[in-house]
Amino acid sequence: MQVTYWAEHAWLGTHVEPGVAIEATDGRITAVRTDVPAPPPGATALRGLTLPGLANAHSHAFHRALRGRTQVGSGTFWTWRDVMYGVADRLTPDSYFALARATYAEMALAGITCVGEFHYLHHGPGGTPYADPNAMGEALIAAAAEAGIRITLLDTAYLSSGFGEPPNHHQTRFSDGTADAWAERAAALKPAGHARIGAAVHSVRAVPADQLTTVADWAKEREAPLHVHLSEQTAENDACLAAHGRTPTRLLADHGVLGPRTSAVHATHLTDEDIALLGGAASTICMCPTTERDLADGIGPAVTLQRAGSPLSLGSDSHAVIDLLEEARAMELDERLRSRTRGHWTAAALLRAATEDGHASLGWADAGRIEPGALADLTTVALDSVRTAGPAPRHGAETAVFAATGADIRHTVVGGRHVVRDGVHQLVPDVPRALADSIAALSG
Protein backbone atom coordinates (compact mmCIF):
# COMPACT_ATOMS: atom_id res chain seq x y z
CA MET A 1 0.00 0.00 0.00
CA GLN A 2 1.34 3.42 -0.99
CA VAL A 3 0.25 6.58 0.76
CA THR A 4 1.39 10.18 0.83
CA TYR A 5 0.93 12.56 3.74
CA TRP A 6 1.59 16.26 3.46
CA ALA A 7 2.66 17.90 6.71
CA GLU A 8 1.92 21.58 6.95
CA HIS A 9 4.94 21.69 9.29
CA ALA A 10 7.15 18.79 10.33
CA TRP A 11 9.79 18.40 13.02
CA LEU A 12 12.69 16.61 11.37
CA GLY A 13 14.77 15.95 14.47
CA THR A 14 16.60 19.26 14.68
CA HIS A 15 14.22 21.87 13.29
CA VAL A 16 10.72 22.53 12.00
CA GLU A 17 10.34 22.47 8.22
CA PRO A 18 7.26 23.89 6.43
CA GLY A 19 5.57 21.93 3.66
CA VAL A 20 6.86 18.35 3.89
CA ALA A 21 5.58 15.46 1.77
CA ILE A 22 6.02 12.06 3.43
CA GLU A 23 5.64 9.05 1.16
CA ALA A 24 5.22 5.55 2.54
CA THR A 25 4.93 2.07 1.11
CA ASP A 26 3.86 -0.97 3.13
CA GLY A 27 4.12 0.93 6.39
CA ARG A 28 7.59 2.44 5.90
CA ILE A 29 8.65 5.90 4.84
CA THR A 30 10.17 5.82 1.36
CA ALA A 31 10.70 9.53 0.75
CA VAL A 32 10.63 12.82 2.64
CA ARG A 33 10.42 15.89 0.40
CA THR A 34 10.71 19.42 1.72
CA ASP A 35 9.67 22.72 0.14
CA VAL A 36 6.30 21.35 -0.91
CA PRO A 37 3.98 24.36 -0.43
CA ALA A 38 0.67 22.52 -0.91
CA PRO A 39 -0.61 18.95 -0.68
CA PRO A 40 0.35 16.94 -3.78
CA PRO A 41 -2.53 15.31 -5.69
CA GLY A 42 -3.94 12.42 -3.66
CA ALA A 43 -2.01 13.32 -0.50
CA THR A 44 -3.68 13.51 2.92
CA ALA A 45 -3.06 16.86 4.58
CA LEU A 46 -1.85 16.96 8.18
CA ARG A 47 -2.48 20.50 9.38
CA GLY A 48 -0.33 21.53 12.35
CA LEU A 49 3.09 20.24 13.45
CA THR A 50 3.84 16.63 12.55
CA LEU A 51 6.23 14.69 14.78
CA PRO A 52 7.37 11.10 14.71
CA GLY A 53 4.89 8.90 16.58
CA LEU A 54 5.24 9.06 20.36
CA ALA A 55 6.50 6.05 22.34
CA ASN A 56 4.98 5.34 25.75
CA ALA A 57 7.82 3.30 27.18
CA HIS A 58 6.15 2.24 30.43
CA SER A 59 2.51 1.26 30.90
CA HIS A 60 0.41 -0.82 33.24
CA ALA A 61 -2.83 -0.84 31.26
CA PHE A 62 -5.07 -1.95 34.11
CA HIS A 63 -3.98 1.00 36.26
CA ARG A 64 -6.17 3.16 34.01
CA ALA A 65 -9.08 1.94 36.16
CA LEU A 66 -7.50 3.67 39.18
CA ARG A 67 -7.71 7.20 37.79
CA GLY A 68 -9.74 9.42 40.12
CA ARG A 69 -9.93 6.72 42.81
CA THR A 70 -6.43 6.77 44.24
CA GLN A 71 -6.39 10.57 44.32
CA VAL A 72 -9.00 10.59 47.10
CA GLY A 73 -7.47 11.53 50.44
CA SER A 74 -3.78 11.08 51.18
CA GLY A 75 -1.85 7.86 51.71
CA THR A 76 1.44 6.51 50.36
CA PHE A 77 2.72 4.42 47.47
CA TRP A 78 2.01 1.36 49.60
CA THR A 79 -1.64 2.26 50.31
CA TRP A 80 -2.06 3.07 46.60
CA ARG A 81 -0.74 -0.42 45.90
CA ASP A 82 -3.52 -1.98 47.98
CA VAL A 83 -6.16 -0.28 45.80
CA MET A 84 -4.31 -1.44 42.70
CA TYR A 85 -4.40 -5.04 43.92
CA GLY A 86 -8.18 -4.79 44.29
CA VAL A 87 -8.54 -4.00 40.59
CA ALA A 88 -6.06 -6.68 39.57
CA ASP A 89 -8.00 -9.30 41.52
CA ARG A 90 -11.11 -8.75 39.37
CA LEU A 91 -9.57 -8.89 35.91
CA THR A 92 -10.15 -11.73 33.45
CA PRO A 93 -8.73 -12.09 29.93
CA ASP A 94 -11.96 -10.70 28.48
CA SER A 95 -12.27 -7.75 30.84
CA TYR A 96 -8.57 -6.99 30.51
CA PHE A 97 -8.90 -6.97 26.72
CA ALA A 98 -11.79 -4.48 26.93
CA LEU A 99 -9.94 -2.18 29.35
CA ALA A 100 -6.64 -2.35 27.45
CA ARG A 101 -8.34 -1.74 24.09
CA ALA A 102 -9.93 1.42 25.48
CA THR A 103 -6.72 2.51 27.20
CA TYR A 104 -4.63 2.00 24.08
CA ALA A 105 -7.23 3.89 22.05
CA GLU A 106 -6.85 6.75 24.52
CA MET A 107 -3.11 6.57 23.88
CA ALA A 108 -3.65 6.79 20.12
CA LEU A 109 -5.79 9.89 20.66
CA ALA A 110 -2.82 11.35 22.57
CA GLY A 111 -0.44 10.68 19.67
CA ILE A 112 1.12 7.51 21.05
CA THR A 113 1.94 4.99 18.33
CA CYS A 114 3.79 2.39 20.44
CA VAL A 115 3.41 1.24 24.04
CA GLY A 116 5.71 -0.74 26.29
CA GLU A 117 3.33 -2.84 28.41
CA PHE A 118 5.01 -3.94 31.64
CA HIS A 119 2.85 -7.02 32.07
CA TYR A 120 2.79 -9.11 35.25
CA LEU A 121 -0.88 -10.12 35.67
CA HIS A 122 -0.38 -13.60 34.22
CA HIS A 123 -2.64 -16.13 35.95
CA GLY A 124 -6.14 -16.67 37.27
CA PRO A 125 -7.29 -16.08 40.85
CA GLY A 126 -5.14 -17.96 43.34
CA GLY A 127 -2.37 -18.29 40.78
CA THR A 128 -4.00 -21.06 38.72
CA PRO A 129 -2.80 -20.79 35.11
CA TYR A 130 -5.39 -20.28 32.40
CA ALA A 131 -5.86 -23.02 29.81
CA ASP A 132 -3.70 -20.79 27.64
CA PRO A 133 -0.97 -19.76 30.12
CA ASN A 134 -0.48 -16.52 28.17
CA ALA A 135 -4.15 -15.60 27.89
CA MET A 136 -3.67 -12.28 29.64
CA GLY A 137 -0.65 -11.29 27.55
CA GLU A 138 -2.38 -12.32 24.35
CA ALA A 139 -5.35 -10.17 25.36
CA LEU A 140 -3.04 -7.15 25.57
CA ILE A 141 -1.50 -7.87 22.16
CA ALA A 142 -4.98 -8.20 20.64
CA ALA A 143 -6.14 -5.01 22.36
CA ALA A 144 -3.26 -3.02 20.87
CA ALA A 145 -4.11 -4.37 17.41
CA GLU A 146 -7.74 -3.27 17.71
CA ALA A 147 -6.69 0.15 18.99
CA GLY A 148 -4.33 0.51 16.03
CA ILE A 149 -1.01 0.93 17.88
CA ARG A 150 2.18 -1.07 18.25
CA ILE A 151 3.07 -2.88 21.47
CA THR A 152 6.14 -4.33 23.09
CA LEU A 153 4.82 -6.82 25.62
CA LEU A 154 7.36 -6.78 28.44
CA ASP A 155 6.50 -10.08 30.06
CA THR A 156 7.44 -9.65 33.69
CA ALA A 157 8.98 -12.02 36.21
CA TYR A 158 7.32 -11.39 39.60
CA LEU A 159 8.14 -14.18 42.05
CA SER A 160 8.17 -12.81 45.60
CA SER A 161 6.62 -10.11 47.75
CA GLY A 162 9.93 -9.04 49.22
CA PHE A 163 13.41 -10.27 49.92
CA GLY A 164 12.99 -13.89 50.98
CA GLU A 165 9.20 -13.60 51.16
CA PRO A 166 6.70 -15.63 49.11
CA PRO A 167 4.02 -13.84 47.05
CA ASN A 168 1.09 -12.58 49.10
CA HIS A 169 -2.44 -13.67 48.21
CA HIS A 170 -2.80 -10.85 45.65
CA GLN A 171 0.53 -11.57 44.02
CA THR A 172 -0.10 -15.26 43.37
CA ARG A 173 -1.67 -14.17 40.06
CA PHE A 174 1.65 -12.59 39.13
CA SER A 175 4.01 -15.44 39.98
CA ASP A 176 5.23 -18.38 37.89
CA GLY A 177 6.99 -19.81 40.95
CA THR A 178 10.51 -19.71 39.54
CA ALA A 179 12.37 -17.77 36.89
CA ASP A 180 12.78 -20.97 34.88
CA ALA A 181 8.99 -21.46 34.84
CA TRP A 182 8.55 -17.81 33.89
CA ALA A 183 11.04 -18.26 31.01
CA GLU A 184 9.25 -21.35 29.73
CA ARG A 185 5.87 -19.60 29.69
CA ALA A 186 7.22 -16.36 28.20
CA ALA A 187 8.98 -18.28 25.44
CA ALA A 188 5.58 -19.35 24.09
CA LEU A 189 4.60 -15.73 23.33
CA LYS A 190 4.90 -14.92 19.66
CA PRO A 191 5.57 -11.55 18.04
CA ALA A 192 3.25 -10.14 15.38
CA GLY A 193 3.45 -7.35 12.85
CA HIS A 194 2.40 -4.81 15.45
CA ALA A 195 3.85 -6.62 18.48
CA ARG A 196 7.28 -7.49 19.84
CA ILE A 197 8.09 -9.49 22.96
CA GLY A 198 10.46 -8.33 25.66
CA ALA A 199 11.17 -9.21 29.27
CA ALA A 200 11.04 -7.45 32.61
CA VAL A 201 12.25 -7.93 36.14
CA HIS A 202 9.48 -6.43 38.22
CA SER A 203 11.99 -5.24 40.84
CA VAL A 204 14.83 -6.59 42.94
CA ARG A 205 12.34 -7.25 45.73
CA ALA A 206 10.14 -9.36 43.41
CA VAL A 207 12.81 -11.55 41.77
CA PRO A 208 15.29 -13.34 44.04
CA ALA A 209 18.89 -12.40 43.35
CA ASP A 210 19.88 -15.92 42.33
CA GLN A 211 17.19 -15.86 39.60
CA LEU A 212 17.94 -12.47 38.06
CA THR A 213 20.44 -13.96 35.63
CA THR A 214 17.82 -16.32 34.22
CA VAL A 215 15.67 -13.38 33.16
CA ALA A 216 18.64 -11.42 31.84
CA ASP A 217 19.87 -14.41 29.81
CA TRP A 218 16.39 -14.99 28.33
CA ALA A 219 16.39 -11.43 26.99
CA LYS A 220 20.02 -11.60 25.86
CA GLU A 221 19.47 -14.79 23.85
CA ARG A 222 16.60 -13.11 21.99
CA GLU A 223 18.22 -9.67 21.74
CA ALA A 224 15.03 -8.44 23.36
CA PRO A 225 14.38 -5.38 25.53
CA LEU A 226 14.70 -5.92 29.28
CA HIS A 227 13.00 -3.50 31.67
CA VAL A 228 13.05 -3.23 35.46
CA HIS A 229 11.49 -1.03 38.13
CA LEU A 230 14.45 0.47 39.96
CA SER A 231 14.71 2.37 43.25
CA GLU A 232 11.29 3.96 43.02
CA GLN A 233 11.03 3.90 46.82
CA THR A 234 13.69 4.39 49.48
CA ALA A 235 12.14 1.45 51.37
CA GLU A 236 13.21 -0.85 48.53
CA ASN A 237 16.77 0.47 48.75
CA ASP A 238 16.86 -0.03 52.52
CA ALA A 239 15.51 -3.58 52.27
CA CYS A 240 18.00 -4.47 49.52
CA LEU A 241 20.91 -3.15 51.55
CA ALA A 242 19.73 -5.17 54.55
CA ALA A 243 19.32 -8.35 52.50
CA HIS A 244 22.34 -8.11 50.21
CA GLY A 245 24.61 -5.37 51.49
CA ARG A 246 24.37 -3.47 48.21
CA THR A 247 22.02 -1.16 46.36
CA PRO A 248 19.45 -2.46 43.87
CA THR A 249 21.50 -1.05 40.99
CA ARG A 250 24.67 -2.82 42.14
CA LEU A 251 22.68 -6.04 42.61
CA LEU A 252 21.38 -5.81 39.04
CA ALA A 253 24.85 -5.06 37.69
CA ASP A 254 26.37 -8.01 39.57
CA HIS A 255 23.83 -10.38 37.98
CA GLY A 256 24.17 -9.18 34.40
CA VAL A 257 20.90 -7.28 34.16
CA LEU A 258 22.30 -3.91 33.04
CA GLY A 259 23.27 -3.19 29.45
CA PRO A 260 22.25 -1.17 26.38
CA ARG A 261 19.02 -3.17 25.85
CA THR A 262 18.01 -2.60 29.49
CA SER A 263 15.70 0.17 30.64
CA ALA A 264 15.51 1.13 34.31
CA VAL A 265 12.12 2.61 35.16
CA HIS A 266 11.97 5.50 37.65
CA ALA A 267 15.56 5.28 39.00
CA THR A 268 14.55 7.88 41.55
CA HIS A 269 16.76 7.28 44.58
CA LEU A 270 20.29 6.52 43.40
CA THR A 271 23.82 6.83 44.70
CA ASP A 272 26.65 8.29 42.65
CA GLU A 273 27.91 4.73 42.07
CA ASP A 274 24.44 3.68 40.87
CA ILE A 275 24.43 6.50 38.32
CA ALA A 276 27.90 5.54 37.08
CA LEU A 277 26.86 1.90 36.73
CA LEU A 278 23.73 2.74 34.74
CA GLY A 279 25.46 5.28 32.52
CA GLY A 280 28.49 3.06 31.98
CA ALA A 281 26.19 0.26 30.83
CA ALA A 282 24.32 2.68 28.51
CA SER A 283 21.07 1.51 30.10
CA THR A 284 18.08 3.68 29.22
CA ILE A 285 16.24 5.45 32.02
CA CYS A 286 12.47 5.63 31.69
CA MET A 287 11.12 8.59 33.58
CA CYS A 288 7.41 8.70 34.45
CA PRO A 289 6.97 12.15 35.98
CA THR A 290 3.17 12.25 36.19
CA THR A 291 3.10 9.00 38.17
CA GLU A 292 6.18 9.84 40.23
CA ARG A 293 4.60 13.10 41.36
CA ASP A 294 1.14 11.52 41.84
CA LEU A 295 2.64 8.92 44.18
CA ALA A 296 5.04 11.41 45.80
CA ASP A 297 7.98 9.22 44.82
CA GLY A 298 10.43 12.05 44.26
CA ILE A 299 12.35 13.53 41.33
CA GLY A 300 14.91 11.24 39.72
CA PRO A 301 18.39 12.49 38.73
CA ALA A 302 17.65 12.44 35.00
CA VAL A 303 20.15 15.16 34.09
CA THR A 304 23.01 13.40 35.85
CA LEU A 305 22.01 10.02 34.45
CA GLN A 306 21.99 11.32 30.89
CA ARG A 307 25.37 12.97 31.35
CA ALA A 308 26.68 9.64 32.64
CA GLY A 309 25.65 7.92 29.40
CA SER A 310 22.04 6.81 29.84
CA PRO A 311 19.49 7.70 27.15
CA LEU A 312 16.12 8.88 28.44
CA SER A 313 12.64 7.66 27.59
CA LEU A 314 9.20 8.52 28.97
CA GLY A 315 6.18 6.59 30.20
CA SER A 316 2.71 7.25 31.58
CA ASP A 317 3.02 4.27 33.98
CA SER A 318 -0.13 4.33 36.16
CA HIS A 319 -2.03 6.58 33.73
CA ALA A 320 -2.91 9.31 36.19
CA VAL A 321 -2.94 11.07 32.82
CA ILE A 322 -2.02 9.74 29.39
CA ASP A 323 -0.07 12.57 27.80
CA LEU A 324 3.53 12.13 26.60
CA LEU A 325 3.85 15.86 25.97
CA GLU A 326 3.10 16.42 29.64
CA GLU A 327 5.66 13.76 30.61
CA ALA A 328 8.30 15.56 28.53
CA ARG A 329 7.37 18.94 29.95
CA ALA A 330 7.27 17.63 33.50
CA MET A 331 10.77 16.17 33.29
CA GLU A 332 12.19 19.61 32.52
CA LEU A 333 9.92 21.57 34.88
CA ASP A 334 10.43 19.21 37.82
CA GLU A 335 14.19 19.60 37.39
CA ARG A 336 13.76 23.37 37.34
CA LEU A 337 11.93 23.24 40.67
CA ARG A 338 14.63 21.10 42.23
CA SER A 339 17.61 23.02 40.85
CA ARG A 340 16.03 26.47 40.57
CA THR A 341 17.64 26.84 37.15
CA ARG A 342 16.06 26.62 33.68
CA GLY A 343 16.95 24.91 30.43
CA HIS A 344 18.21 21.43 31.30
CA TRP A 345 16.91 20.02 28.01
CA THR A 346 15.97 21.67 24.75
CA ALA A 347 12.54 20.97 23.31
CA ALA A 348 14.27 18.83 20.67
CA ALA A 349 15.98 16.72 23.34
CA LEU A 350 12.68 16.19 25.15
CA LEU A 351 10.98 15.19 21.90
CA ARG A 352 13.75 12.68 21.22
CA ALA A 353 13.05 11.09 24.60
CA ALA A 354 9.36 10.87 23.65
CA THR A 355 10.06 9.46 20.19
CA GLU A 356 13.35 7.97 18.98
CA ASP A 357 14.86 6.97 22.33
CA GLY A 358 11.55 5.67 23.63
CA HIS A 359 11.09 3.46 20.59
CA ALA A 360 14.67 2.18 20.85
CA SER A 361 14.08 1.20 24.48
CA LEU A 362 11.14 -0.92 23.31
CA GLY A 363 13.05 -2.68 20.55
CA TRP A 364 11.75 -0.54 17.68
CA ALA A 365 14.99 1.11 16.58
CA ASP A 366 13.41 1.60 13.15
CA ALA A 367 10.83 4.06 14.53
CA GLY A 368 10.81 7.54 16.00
CA ARG A 369 12.22 9.49 13.04
CA ILE A 370 10.74 11.05 9.92
CA GLU A 371 13.20 9.74 7.36
CA PRO A 372 13.32 7.13 4.60
CA GLY A 373 13.42 3.58 5.95
CA ALA A 374 11.72 4.43 9.23
CA LEU A 375 8.29 3.12 10.16
CA ALA A 376 5.57 5.48 8.94
CA ASP A 377 4.37 6.45 12.40
CA LEU A 378 3.35 10.11 12.72
CA THR A 379 1.69 12.40 15.23
CA THR A 380 0.30 15.84 14.38
CA VAL A 381 -0.13 18.55 17.01
CA ALA A 382 -2.60 21.36 16.32
CA LEU A 383 -0.98 24.80 16.20
CA ASP A 384 -4.30 26.66 16.32
CA SER A 385 -5.82 25.59 19.64
CA VAL A 386 -6.22 27.93 22.61
CA ARG A 387 -3.02 26.45 24.02
CA THR A 388 -0.89 26.54 20.89
CA ALA A 389 -2.11 29.52 18.84
CA GLY A 390 0.22 32.48 18.54
CA PRO A 391 3.84 31.30 18.36
CA ALA A 392 5.51 31.21 14.95
CA PRO A 393 5.52 27.69 13.45
CA ARG A 394 9.32 27.63 13.54
CA HIS A 395 8.93 27.44 17.32
CA GLY A 396 6.58 24.47 16.96
CA ALA A 397 8.79 22.08 18.95
CA GLU A 398 8.82 24.46 21.91
CA THR A 399 5.08 25.01 21.56
CA ALA A 400 4.40 21.27 21.48
CA VAL A 401 6.51 20.49 24.54
CA PHE A 402 5.79 23.50 26.72
CA ALA A 403 2.20 24.42 25.82
CA ALA A 404 0.36 21.60 24.03
CA THR A 405 -1.38 18.65 25.67
CA GLY A 406 -2.67 15.33 24.44
CA ALA A 407 -5.94 17.13 23.67
CA ASP A 408 -4.13 19.00 20.89
CA ILE A 409 -3.29 15.85 18.93
CA ARG A 410 -5.09 16.11 15.61
CA HIS A 411 -3.79 13.07 13.71
CA THR A 412 -2.09 9.77 14.54
CA VAL A 413 -0.69 7.57 11.78
CA VAL A 414 0.67 4.07 12.48
CA GLY A 415 2.42 2.21 9.69
CA GLY A 416 0.89 4.61 7.18
CA ARG A 417 -2.61 3.89 8.52
CA HIS A 418 -4.63 6.93 9.61
CA VAL A 419 -5.72 5.75 13.08
CA VAL A 420 -6.78 9.14 14.47
CA ARG A 421 -8.16 11.65 11.96
CA ASP A 422 -9.06 15.18 13.05
CA GLY A 423 -9.12 14.04 16.67
CA VAL A 424 -11.47 11.10 16.07
CA HIS A 425 -10.35 7.50 16.54
CA GLN A 426 -11.13 5.56 13.38
CA LEU A 427 -11.20 2.07 14.94
CA VAL A 428 -12.83 2.58 18.35
CA PRO A 429 -15.91 4.71 17.70
CA ASP A 430 -16.51 6.03 21.22
CA VAL A 431 -13.35 5.88 23.32
CA PRO A 432 -14.83 7.61 26.42
CA ARG A 433 -17.72 5.12 26.46
CA ALA A 434 -15.32 2.20 25.98
CA LEU A 435 -13.29 3.43 28.95
CA ALA A 436 -16.34 4.02 31.13
CA ASP A 437 -17.88 0.64 30.36
CA SER A 438 -14.69 -1.36 30.82
CA ILE A 439 -13.90 0.36 34.11
CA ALA A 440 -17.47 0.04 35.41
CA ALA A 441 -17.25 -3.71 34.78
CA LEU A 442 -14.44 -3.86 37.37
CA SER A 443 -16.24 -1.93 40.10
CA GLY A 444 -16.30 -3.72 43.36
Side-chain angles (χ1 to χ4, degrees):
M1 181 183 70
Q2 295 181 327
V3 293
T4 300
Y5 289 94
W6 177 80
E8 184 181 27
H9 304 278
W11 181 71
L12 299 182
T14 58
H15 66 286
V16 174
E17 190 79 33
V20 177
I22 303 164
E23 300 173 6
T25 301
D26 296 333
R28 287 189 181 273
I29 297 172
T30 54
V32 177
R33 295 186 287 115
T34 57
D35 297 319
V36 182
T44 299
L46 305 176
R47 302 282 178 183
L49 174 67
T50 295
L51 313 168
L54 305 179
N56 187 354
H58 189 67
S59 163
H60 302 291
F62 76 90
H63 290 189
R64 177 60 180 83
L66 301 174
R67 187 183 298 177
R69 295 175 56 186
T70 55
Q71 283 77 28
V72 176
S74 56
T76 67
F77 168 87
W78 307 102
T79 56
W80 168 89
R81 193 175 69 159
D82 289 338
V83 179
M84 178 269 287
Y85 284 154
V87 172
D89 287 345
R90 292 188 287 276
L91 283 164
T92 67
D94 288 344
S95 63
Y96 204 5
F97 167 80
L99 176 58
R101 173 179 175 267
T103 302
Y104 296 155
E106 181 183 356
M107 291 185 193
L109 288 171
I112 292 163
T113 57
C114 184
V115 61
E117 184 60 42
F118 199 103
H119 167 57
Y120 54 81
L121 185 52
H122 302 304
H123 305 299
T128 302
Y130 290 102
D132 173 0
N134 285 307
M136 295 294 261
E138 297 290 355
L140 293 165
I141 291 172
E146 291 218 2
I149 69 172
R150 304 184 194 277
I151 184 172
T152 296
L153 187 74
L154 299 160
D155 196 277
T156 303
Y158 194 135
L159 308 173
S160 61
S161 64
F163 298 95
E165 298 294 328
N168 65 33
H169 68 284
H170 296 294
Q171 297 163 342
T172 55
R173 295 195 70 178
F174 310 161
S175 178
D176 291 293
T178 67
D180 285 335
W182 165 83
E184 181 178 359
R185 180 188 51 73
L189 286 161
K190 302 301 180 187
H194 76 293
R196 294 181 180 174
I197 308 301
V201 170
H202 179 273
S203 57
V204 294
R205 70 178 185 273
V207 177
D210 61 0
Q211 299 185 61
L212 289 169
T213 301
T214 300
V215 184
D217 286 349
W218 188 97
K220 182 178 180 181
E221 290 166 6
R222 292 161 175 78
E223 298 185 347
L226 174 62
H227 287 220
V228 56
H229 289 134
L230 178 63
S231 293
E232 182 178 4
Q233 297 290 321
T234 55
E236 177 182 280
N237 290 355
D238 295 342
C240 189
L241 286 165
H244 296 289
R246 66 196 92 174
T247 66
T249 302
R250 169 53 74 180
L251 188 68
L252 294 174
D254 289 348
H255 289 83
V257 176
L258 302 185
R261 286 193 306 275
T262 300
S263 292
V265 183
H266 304 304
T268 308
H269 304 285
L270 303 178
T271 66
D272 290 343
E273 182 193 36
D274 293 341
I275 293 169
L277 286 169
L278 289 160
S283 294
T284 295
I285 307 300
C286 182
M287 304 298 292
C288 306
T290 65
T291 289
E292 289 150 6
R293 69 191 183 195
D294 183 52
L295 298 180
D297 289 340
I299 303 170
V303 171
T304 309
L305 282 159
Q306 189 168 49
R307 288 174 180 164
S310 287
L312 299 176
S313 64
L314 297 165
S316 63
D317 191 3
S318 68
H319 312 314
V321 297
I322 293 176
D323 187 340
L324 261 288
L325 298 175
E326 174 61 24
E327 303 293 346
R329 175 164 55 246
M331 189 163 69
E332 166 67 24
L333 297 186
D334 286 355
E335 188 62 33
R336 291 182 186 186
L337 285 175
R338 178 168 63 179
S339 65
R340 292 185 292 174
T341 59
R342 302 178 71 204
H344 303 278
W345 293 278
T346 64
L350 293 168
L351 285 176
R352 279 194 294 275
T355 57
E356 183 173 0
D357 290 343
H359 280 101
S361 78
L362 298 176
W364 298 86
D366 49 352
R369 301 176 301 282
I370 300 177
E371 63 181 36
L375 292 169
D377 297 353
L378 307 170
T379 296
T380 302
V381 182
L383 295 180
D384 57 359
S385 76
V386 292
R387 289 166 291 278
T388 61
R394 68 177 181 274
H395 298 308
E398 289 75 16
T399 303
V401 171
F402 292 105
T405 73
D408 296 308
I409 300 301
R410 182 170 283 163
H411 303 282
T412 303
V413 175
V414 183
R417 182 188 195 186
H418 211 157
V419 175
V420 173
R421 185 189 296 263
D422 292 320
V424 178
H425 202 291
Q426 302 298 291
L427 306 176
V428 181
D430 188 342
V431 178
R433 173 53 57 192
L435 286 163
D437 289 349
S438 62
I439 293 169
L442 301 174
S443 297

